[in-house]
Amino acid sequence: RGAVEFSQPLPTPPAVSSRAGRIYVTGEHSTLYALSADDFSCIGAYYLGHAPQSIQAPPVVVSNKVAVAENSGAETSSLTVLSLAENGVPTAVAADRRLKGLITTPLATQARRIAAVTSQGQASVFEVGPGEGDSALVDIAARSGKLSEPIAHFAWMDRTTLWMAGKELTKFGIVASGNRLPVRSLDRDYTGGVFDHPLQSFGQTLVYARRIDGKAGISVGGVDMKSGESLWTTQLATPLAGPPAVHSTTMRVTAADAGGAV
């Protein structure tokens, strides 16, 4: 339908507010742009002042706010919530929170809630309010993380549960009273590998992609979100261990992959 030429690279996908007809794009540095979804005209540019390569997660629109995650140091990040004018243009910082670790994966949203997980394994759930100041971003539940080797973590959230995937898959219950994220049981912990793609849901099935230590290819599987039971798993993109063996008489082709399947 059209295109927009920016004066600087765009590090992440945009956030789209279908209700307001607005598109929000973070530049490689300094600026958050607000566009009209109708004709792609720029209706506003807000100076965030972020450094190059400091934003790796797309912004998200929640209620009448837009939230931006910025990595402000080697081991710290911040979640900033900006107020929007009636025309959808960002006007001011409504609230912000500092987190331990870097935010390198998309924020999870559910209704008015935002979940952020960091490279240190910290998980935080916030609720975005319509006002300013303390009411603009309310701490709902959190869990600290202290990893010796920081890695990317992926989050998925519904009304009562937060899933986090890094070197293992963890299911948390969101308990607002007491600001807690207690661990819920799974039939397996999925250790011995690393998750490297955002979690997705299809009905009551959570779908993941992970690389298993010592195995080639990608393991894709489904987990029942209610019971925590593993439903299925399959191996993708596993290369062949060598050339196929072709029997000229029987016309049979035999191939073995690097995972041991024949």
mmCIF file of all heavy atoms in Angstrom, residues 75-119:
data_model
loop_
_atom_site.group_PDB
_atom_site.id
_atom_site.type_symbol
_atom_site.label_atom_id
_atom_site.label_comp_id
_atom_site.label_asym_id
_atom_site.label_seq_id
_atom_site.Cartn_x
_atom_site.Cartn_y
_atom_site.Cartn_z
ATOM 1 N N GLU A 75 24.667 -4.235 31.593
ATOM 2 C CA GLU A 75 23.902 -5.206 32.371
ATOM 3 C C GLU A 75 22.576 -4.646 32.859
ATOM 4 O O GLU A 75 21.936 -5.257 33.721
ATOM 5 C CB GLU A 75 24.721 -5.693 33.573
ATOM 6 C CG GLU A 75 25.997 -6.444 33.195
ATOM 7 C CD GLU A 75 26.748 -6.943 34.408
ATOM 8 O OE1 GLU A 75 26.391 -6.527 35.532
ATOM 9 O OE2 GLU A 75 27.689 -7.742 34.237
ATOM 10 N N THR A 76 22.145 -3.502 32.367
ATOM 11 C CA THR A 76 20.891 -2.912 32.837
ATOM 12 C C THR A 76 20.050 -2.445 31.652
ATOM 13 O O THR A 76 20.559 -2.156 30.570
ATOM 14 C CB THR A 76 21.140 -1.702 33.764
ATOM 15 O OG1 THR A 76 21.906 -0.721 33.051
ATOM 16 C CG2 THR A 76 21.873 -2.122 35.020
ATOM 17 N N SER A 77 18.755 -2.380 31.883
ATOM 18 C CA SER A 77 17.819 -1.908 30.869
ATOM 19 C C SER A 77 16.716 -1.125 31.568
ATOM 20 O O SER A 77 16.605 -1.118 32.801
ATOM 21 C CB SER A 77 17.224 -3.084 30.092
ATOM 22 O OG SER A 77 16.609 -4.007 30.971
ATOM 23 N N SER A 78 15.890 -0.465 30.774
ATOM 24 C CA SER A 78 14.784 0.299 31.337
ATOM 25 C C SER A 78 13.556 0.130 30.460
ATOM 26 O O SER A 78 13.655 -0.014 29.236
ATOM 27 C CB SER A 78 15.142 1.785 31.453
ATOM 28 O OG SER A 78 15.427 2.333 30.180
ATOM 29 N N LEU A 79 12.398 0.125 31.100
ATOM 30 C CA LEU A 79 11.118 0.094 30.409
ATOM 31 C C LEU A 79 10.474 1.461 30.597
ATOM 32 O O LEU A 79 10.172 1.867 31.723
ATOM 33 C CB LEU A 79 10.220 -1.002 30.981
ATOM 34 C CG LEU A 79 8.839 -1.131 30.345
ATOM 35 C CD1 LEU A 79 8.957 -1.572 28.893
ATOM 36 C CD2 LEU A 79 7.964 -2.106 31.134
ATOM 37 N N THR A 80 10.290 2.175 29.508
ATOM 38 C CA THR A 80 9.746 3.531 29.546
ATOM 39 C C THR A 80 8.364 3.553 28.915
ATOM 40 O O THR A 80 8.174 3.029 27.817
ATOM 41 C CB THR A 80 10.666 4.517 28.803
ATOM 42 O OG1 THR A 80 11.967 4.488 29.395
ATOM 43 C CG2 THR A 80 10.125 5.929 28.874
ATOM 44 N N VAL A 81 7.406 4.160 29.624
ATOM 45 C CA VAL A 81 6.038 4.280 29.134
ATOM 46 C C VAL A 81 5.772 5.734 28.790
ATOM 47 O O VAL A 81 5.960 6.626 29.630
ATOM 48 C CB VAL A 81 5.031 3.779 30.194
ATOM 49 C CG1 VAL A 81 3.609 4.053 29.734
ATOM 50 C CG2 VAL A 81 5.230 2.295 30.436
ATOM 51 N N LEU A 82 5.356 5.995 27.553
ATOM 52 C CA LEU A 82 5.112 7.346 27.071
ATOM 53 C C LEU A 82 3.617 7.613 26.954
ATOM 54 O O LEU A 82 2.859 6.757 26.473
ATOM 55 C CB LEU A 82 5.769 7.556 25.706
ATOM 56 C CG LEU A 82 7.276 7.323 25.632
ATOM 57 C CD1 LEU A 82 7.742 7.372 24.182
ATOM 58 C CD2 LEU A 82 8.028 8.339 26.461
ATOM 59 N N SER A 83 3.201 8.797 27.388
ATOM 60 C CA SER A 83 1.805 9.206 27.225
ATOM 61 C C SER A 83 1.547 9.600 25.784
ATOM 62 O O SER A 83 2.434 10.106 25.090
ATOM 63 C CB SER A 83 1.496 10.392 28.143
ATOM 64 O OG SER A 83 1.648 10.031 29.503
ATOM 65 N N LEU A 84 0.320 9.349 25.320
ATOM 66 C CA LEU A 84 -0.080 9.688 23.966
ATOM 67 C C LEU A 84 -1.164 10.757 24.001
ATOM 68 O O LEU A 84 -2.106 10.685 24.804
ATOM 69 C CB LEU A 84 -0.600 8.458 23.225
ATOM 70 C CG LEU A 84 0.371 7.289 23.063
ATOM 71 C CD1 LEU A 84 -0.320 6.119 22.389
ATOM 72 C CD2 LEU A 84 1.608 7.714 22.277
ATOM 73 N N ALA A 85 -1.031 11.755 23.124
ATOM 74 C CA ALA A 85 -2.082 12.755 22.970
ATOM 75 C C ALA A 85 -3.290 12.127 22.273
ATOM 76 O O ALA A 85 -3.246 10.979 21.826
ATOM 77 C CB ALA A 85 -1.556 13.947 22.180
ATOM 78 N N GLU A 86 -4.363 12.873 22.167
ATOM 79 C CA GLU A 86 -5.572 12.350 21.534
ATOM 80 C C GLU A 86 -5.333 11.945 20.084
ATOM 81 O O GLU A 86 -5.986 11.031 19.565
ATOM 82 C CB GLU A 86 -6.695 13.388 21.610
ATOM 83 C CG GLU A 86 -7.236 13.601 23.012
ATOM 84 C CD GLU A 86 -8.444 14.504 23.018
ATOM 85 O OE1 GLU A 86 -8.886 14.920 21.925
ATOM 86 O OE2 GLU A 86 -8.962 14.795 24.108
ATOM 87 N N ASN A 87 -4.382 12.603 19.431
ATOM 88 C CA ASN A 87 -4.077 12.255 18.038
ATOM 89 C C ASN A 87 -3.045 11.139 17.928
ATOM 90 O O ASN A 87 -2.607 10.797 16.840
ATOM 91 C CB ASN A 87 -3.593 13.481 17.270
ATOM 92 C CG ASN A 87 -2.289 14.040 17.827
ATOM 93 O OD1 ASN A 87 -1.804 13.610 18.879
ATOM 94 N ND2 ASN A 87 -1.725 15.016 17.133
ATOM 95 N N GLY A 88 -2.637 10.544 19.089
ATOM 96 C CA GLY A 88 -1.709 9.423 19.075
ATOM 97 C C GLY A 88 -0.248 9.777 19.080
ATOM 98 O O GLY A 88 0.599 8.898 18.951
ATOM 99 N N VAL A 89 0.085 11.055 19.242
ATOM 100 C CA VAL A 89 1.482 11.484 19.248
ATOM 101 C C VAL A 89 2.052 11.357 20.668
ATOM 102 O O VAL A 89 1.430 11.824 21.628
ATOM 103 C CB VAL A 89 1.610 12.937 18.762
ATOM 104 C CG1 VAL A 89 3.049 13.432 18.900
ATOM 105 C CG2 VAL A 89 1.148 13.051 17.324
ATOM 106 N N PRO A 90 3.220 10.722 20.837
ATOM 107 C CA PRO A 90 3.851 10.664 22.161
ATOM 108 C C PRO A 90 4.185 12.066 22.659
ATOM 109 O O PRO A 90 4.719 12.891 21.904
ATOM 110 C CB PRO A 90 5.124 9.849 21.914
ATOM 111 C CG PRO A 90 4.858 9.091 20.662
ATOM 112 C CD PRO A 90 3.979 9.969 19.825
ATOM 113 N N THR A 91 3.867 12.325 23.933
ATOM 114 C CA THR A 91 4.042 13.679 24.470
ATOM 115 C C THR A 91 5.042 13.768 25.618
ATOM 116 O O THR A 91 5.740 14.770 25.740
ATOM 117 C CB THR A 91 2.698 14.232 24.958
ATOM 118 O OG1 THR A 91 2.141 13.336 25.935
ATOM 119 C CG2 THR A 91 1.726 14.379 23.790
ATOM 120 N N ALA A 92 5.104 12.735 26.468
ATOM 121 C CA ALA A 92 5.975 12.818 27.645
ATOM 122 C C ALA A 92 6.161 11.442 28.245
ATOM 123 O O ALA A 92 5.388 10.512 27.986
ATOM 124 C CB ALA A 92 5.376 13.762 28.686
ATOM 125 N N VAL A 93 7.202 11.315 29.075
ATOM 126 C CA VAL A 93 7.428 10.070 29.810
ATOM 127 C C VAL A 93 6.461 10.026 30.983
ATOM 128 O O VAL A 93 6.477 10.896 31.851
ATOM 129 C CB VAL A 93 8.879 9.983 30.304
ATOM 130 C CG1 VAL A 93 9.064 8.756 31.208
ATOM 131 C CG2 VAL A 93 9.846 9.927 29.132
ATOM 132 N N ALA A 94 5.610 8.993 30.989
ATOM 133 C CA ALA A 94 4.645 8.849 32.086
ATOM 134 C C ALA A 94 5.258 8.103 33.264
ATOM 135 O O ALA A 94 4.975 8.414 34.428
ATOM 136 C CB ALA A 94 3.398 8.120 31.598
ATOM 137 N N ALA A 95 6.096 7.101 32.980
ATOM 138 C CA ALA A 95 6.739 6.317 34.039
ATOM 139 C C ALA A 95 7.843 5.481 33.420
ATOM 140 O O ALA A 95 7.863 5.252 32.205
ATOM 141 C CB ALA A 95 5.727 5.422 34.743
ATOM 142 N N ASP A 96 8.783 5.037 34.252
ATOM 143 C CA ASP A 96 9.808 4.115 33.779
ATOM 144 C C ASP A 96 10.274 3.229 34.926
ATOM 145 O O ASP A 96 10.092 3.544 36.094
ATOM 146 C CB ASP A 96 10.981 4.847 33.130
ATOM 147 C CG ASP A 96 11.672 5.829 34.085
ATOM 148 O OD1 ASP A 96 11.348 5.822 35.279
ATOM 149 O OD2 ASP A 96 12.530 6.587 33.625
ATOM 150 N N ARG A 97 10.864 2.091 34.550
ATOM 151 C CA ARG A 97 11.404 1.140 35.519
ATOM 152 C C ARG A 97 12.756 0.642 35.025
ATOM 153 O O ARG A 97 12.943 0.401 33.833
ATOM 154 C CB ARG A 97 10.472 -0.066 35.689
ATOM 155 C CG ARG A 97 9.139 0.250 36.297
ATOM 156 C CD ARG A 97 9.238 0.598 37.776
ATOM 157 N NE ARG A 97 7.919 0.702 38.363
ATOM 158 C CZ ARG A 97 7.149 1.783 38.315
ATOM 159 N NH1 ARG A 97 7.600 2.870 37.677
ATOM 160 N NH2 ARG A 97 5.961 1.802 38.885
ATOM 161 N N ARG A 98 13.678 0.482 35.962
ATOM 162 C CA ARG A 98 14.999 -0.052 35.625
ATOM 163 C C ARG A 98 15.028 -1.533 35.971
ATOM 164 O O ARG A 98 14.556 -1.947 37.032
ATOM 165 C CB ARG A 98 16.094 0.693 36.390
ATOM 166 C CG ARG A 98 17.511 0.279 35.988
ATOM 167 C CD ARG A 98 18.527 1.257 36.541
ATOM 168 N NE ARG A 98 18.387 2.546 35.896
ATOM 169 C CZ ARG A 98 18.928 2.900 34.752
ATOM 170 N NH1 ARG A 98 19.656 2.015 34.081
ATOM 171 N NH2 ARG A 98 18.766 4.090 34.251
ATOM 172 N N LEU A 99 15.603 -2.349 35.060
ATOM 173 C CA LEU A 99 15.646 -3.789 35.237
ATOM 174 C C LEU A 99 17.084 -4.282 35.164
ATOM 175 O O LEU A 99 17.942 -3.655 34.532
ATOM 176 C CB LEU A 99 14.816 -4.486 34.151
ATOM 177 C CG LEU A 99 13.347 -4.057 34.042
ATOM 178 C CD1 LEU A 99 12.697 -4.735 32.850
ATOM 179 C CD2 LEU A 99 12.586 -4.381 35.312
ATOM 180 N N LYS A 100 17.336 -5.427 35.794
ATOM 181 C CA LYS A 100 18.669 -6.022 35.766
ATOM 182 C C LYS A 100 18.775 -6.961 34.580
ATOM 183 O O LYS A 100 17.999 -7.907 34.450
ATOM 184 C CB LYS A 100 18.943 -6.786 37.056
ATOM 185 C CG LYS A 100 20.356 -7.357 37.120
ATOM 186 C CD LYS A 100 20.626 -8.026 38.443
ATOM 187 C CE LYS A 100 22.056 -8.561 38.490
ATOM 188 N NZ LYS A 100 22.355 -9.223 39.787
ATOM 189 N N GLY A 101 19.723 -6.689 33.706
ATOM 190 C CA GLY A 101 19.882 -7.463 32.483
ATOM 191 C C GLY A 101 19.372 -6.694 31.284
ATOM 192 O O GLY A 101 18.728 -5.654 31.411
ATOM 193 N N LEU A 102 19.637 -7.215 30.089
ATOM 194 C CA LEU A 102 19.248 -6.562 28.850
ATOM 195 C C LEU A 102 17.938 -7.151 28.335
ATOM 196 O O LEU A 102 17.673 -8.340 28.484
ATOM 197 C CB LEU A 102 20.332 -6.738 27.790
ATOM 198 C CG LEU A 102 21.745 -6.277 28.177
ATOM 199 C CD1 LEU A 102 22.699 -6.492 27.009
ATOM 200 C CD2 LEU A 102 21.750 -4.831 28.636
ATOM 201 N N ILE A 103 17.126 -6.308 27.713
ATOM 202 C CA ILE A 103 15.889 -6.754 27.063
ATOM 203 C C ILE A 103 16.194 -6.878 25.580
ATOM 204 O O ILE A 103 16.322 -5.887 24.864
ATOM 205 C CB ILE A 103 14.738 -5.766 27.316
ATOM 206 C CG1 ILE A 103 14.460 -5.654 28.818
ATOM 207 C CG2 ILE A 103 13.479 -6.214 26.577
ATOM 208 C CD1 ILE A 103 13.397 -4.621 29.164
ATOM 209 N N THR A 104 16.316 -8.125 25.120
ATOM 210 C CA THR A 104 16.712 -8.381 23.732
ATOM 211 C C THR A 104 15.617 -9.082 22.931
ATOM 212 O O THR A 104 15.803 -9.355 21.749
ATOM 213 C CB THR A 104 17.986 -9.252 23.692
ATOM 214 O OG1 THR A 104 17.719 -10.497 24.343
ATOM 215 C CG2 THR A 104 19.142 -8.553 24.404
ATOM 216 N N THR A 105 14.487 -9.389 23.571
ATOM 217 C CA THR A 105 13.394 -10.101 22.910
ATOM 218 C C THR A 105 12.095 -9.324 23.100
ATOM 219 O O THR A 105 12.004 -8.463 23.976
ATOM 220 C CB THR A 105 13.242 -11.518 23.494
ATOM 221 O OG1 THR A 105 12.995 -11.412 24.909
ATOM 222 C CG2 THR A 105 14.500 -12.341 23.259
ATOM 223 N N PRO A 106 11.066 -9.593 22.284
ATOM 224 C CA PRO A 106 9.831 -8.805 22.360
ATOM 225 C C PRO A 106 9.168 -8.847 23.734
ATOM 226 O O PRO A 106 9.186 -9.873 24.425
ATOM 227 C CB PRO A 106 8.933 -9.467 21.306
ATOM 228 C CG PRO A 106 9.883 -10.092 20.340
ATOM 229 C CD PRO A 106 11.044 -10.558 21.155
ATOM 230 N N LEU A 107 8.589 -7.721 24.131
ATOM 231 C CA LEU A 107 7.785 -7.656 25.342
ATOM 232 C C LEU A 107 6.501 -8.446 25.136
ATOM 233 O O LEU A 107 5.960 -8.501 24.030
ATOM 234 C CB LEU A 107 7.444 -6.200 25.675
ATOM 235 C CG LEU A 107 8.628 -5.255 25.902
ATOM 236 C CD1 LEU A 107 8.154 -3.804 25.880
ATOM 237 C CD2 LEU A 107 9.332 -5.568 27.227
ATOM 238 N N ALA A 108 6.007 -9.069 26.195
ATOM 239 C CA ALA A 108 4.735 -9.784 26.136
ATOM 240 C C ALA A 108 3.631 -8.879 26.665
ATOM 241 O O ALA A 108 3.844 -8.140 27.636
ATOM 242 C CB ALA A 108 4.802 -11.074 26.955
ATOM 243 N N THR A 109 2.468 -8.905 26.043
ATOM 244 C CA THR A 109 1.350 -8.071 26.482
ATOM 245 C C THR A 109 0.089 -8.916 26.611
ATOM 246 O O THR A 109 -0.096 -9.900 25.903
ATOM 247 C CB THR A 109 1.088 -6.918 25.500
ATOM 248 O OG1 THR A 109 0.764 -7.458 24.203
ATOM 249 C CG2 THR A 109 2.302 -6.013 25.377
ATOM 250 N N GLN A 110 -0.768 -8.509 27.523
ATOM 251 C CA GLN A 110 -2.077 -9.122 27.718
ATOM 252 C C GLN A 110 -2.985 -8.060 28.321
ATOM 253 O O GLN A 110 -2.755 -7.611 29.439
ATOM 254 C CB GLN A 110 -1.989 -10.337 28.646
ATOM 255 C CG GLN A 110 -3.316 -10.860 29.157
ATOM 256 C CD GLN A 110 -4.197 -11.422 28.051
ATOM 257 O OE1 GLN A 110 -3.695 -11.886 27.044
ATOM 258 N NE2 GLN A 110 -5.497 -11.366 28.241
ATOM 259 N N ALA A 111 -3.981 -7.613 27.539
ATOM 260 C CA ALA A 111 -4.869 -6.528 27.977
ATOM 261 C C ALA A 111 -4.015 -5.312 28.343
ATOM 262 O O ALA A 111 -3.297 -4.793 27.508
ATOM 263 C CB ALA A 111 -5.754 -6.988 29.123
ATOM 264 N N ARG A 112 -4.054 -4.873 29.600
ATOM 265 C CA ARG A 112 -3.281 -3.699 30.016
ATOM 266 C C ARG A 112 -1.952 -4.069 30.665
ATOM 267 O O ARG A 112 -1.290 -3.205 31.235
ATOM 268 C CB ARG A 112 -4.099 -2.840 30.973
ATOM 269 C CG ARG A 112 -5.313 -2.170 30.325
ATOM 270 C CD ARG A 112 -5.860 -1.065 31.200
ATOM 271 N NE ARG A 112 -6.285 -1.562 32.503
ATOM 272 C CZ ARG A 112 -6.358 -0.808 33.602
ATOM 273 N NH1 ARG A 112 -6.004 0.453 33.552
ATOM 274 N NH2 ARG A 112 -6.775 -1.330 34.742
ATOM 275 N N ARG A 113 -1.555 -5.327 30.582
ATOM 276 C CA ARG A 113 -0.329 -5.766 31.237
ATOM 277 C C ARG A 113 0.824 -5.929 30.247
ATOM 278 O O ARG A 113 0.619 -6.283 29.094
ATOM 279 C CB ARG A 113 -0.567 -7.084 31.973
ATOM 280 C CG ARG A 113 -1.440 -6.913 33.216
ATOM 281 C CD ARG A 113 -1.588 -8.206 33.988
ATOM 282 N NE ARG A 113 -2.321 -7.988 35.221
ATOM 283 C CZ ARG A 113 -2.592 -8.938 36.115
ATOM 284 N NH1 ARG A 113 -2.188 -10.185 35.872
ATOM 285 N NH2 ARG A 113 -3.262 -8.656 37.216
ATOM 286 N N ILE A 114 2.032 -5.671 30.757
ATOM 287 C CA ILE A 114 3.271 -5.844 30.005
ATOM 288 C C ILE A 114 4.194 -6.737 30.837
ATOM 289 O O ILE A 114 4.335 -6.541 32.042
ATOM 290 C CB ILE A 114 3.974 -4.501 29.735
ATOM 291 C CG1 ILE A 114 3.099 -3.579 28.893
ATOM 292 C CG2 ILE A 114 5.319 -4.719 29.045
ATOM 293 C CD1 ILE A 114 3.698 -2.194 28.718
ATOM 294 N N ALA A 115 4.825 -7.709 30.184
ATOM 295 C CA ALA A 115 5.830 -8.542 30.841
ATOM 296 C C ALA A 115 7.164 -8.356 30.130
ATOM 297 O O ALA A 115 7.231 -8.392 28.898
ATOM 298 C CB ALA A 115 5.425 -10.011 30.824
ATOM 299 N N ALA A 116 8.217 -8.147 30.918
ATOM 300 C CA ALA A 116 9.564 -8.008 30.374
ATOM 301 C C ALA A 116 10.462 -9.057 31.015
ATOM 302 O O ALA A 116 10.425 -9.243 32.236
ATOM 303 C CB ALA A 116 10.116 -6.608 30.653
ATOM 304 N N VAL A 117 11.245 -9.752 30.201
ATOM 305 C CA VAL A 117 12.230 -10.708 30.711
ATOM 306 C C VAL A 117 13.595 -10.287 30.176
ATOM 307 O O VAL A 117 13.723 -9.840 29.038
ATOM 308 C CB VAL A 117 11.891 -12.152 30.306
ATOM 309 C CG1 VAL A 117 10.601 -12.606 30.969
ATOM 310 C CG2 VAL A 117 11.763 -12.301 28.794
ATOM 311 N N THR A 118 14.617 -10.424 31.001
ATOM 312 C CA THR A 118 15.933 -9.910 30.645
ATOM 313 C C THR A 118 16.935 -11.038 30.443
ATOM 314 O O THR A 118 16.670 -12.204 30.733
ATOM 315 C CB THR A 118 16.474 -8.965 31.738
ATOM 316 O OG1 THR A 118 16.886 -9.749 32.885
ATOM 317 C CG2 THR A 118 15.417 -7.962 32.158
ATOM 318 N N SER A 119 18.124 -10.653 29.958
ATOM 319 C CA SER A 119 19.187 -11.625 29.709
ATOM 320 C C SER A 119 19.721 -12.242 30.997
ATOM 321 O O SER A 119 20.381 -13.277 30.964
ATOM 322 C CB SER A 119 20.338 -10.941 28.952
ATOM 323 O OG SER A 119 20.842 -9.854 29.709
#
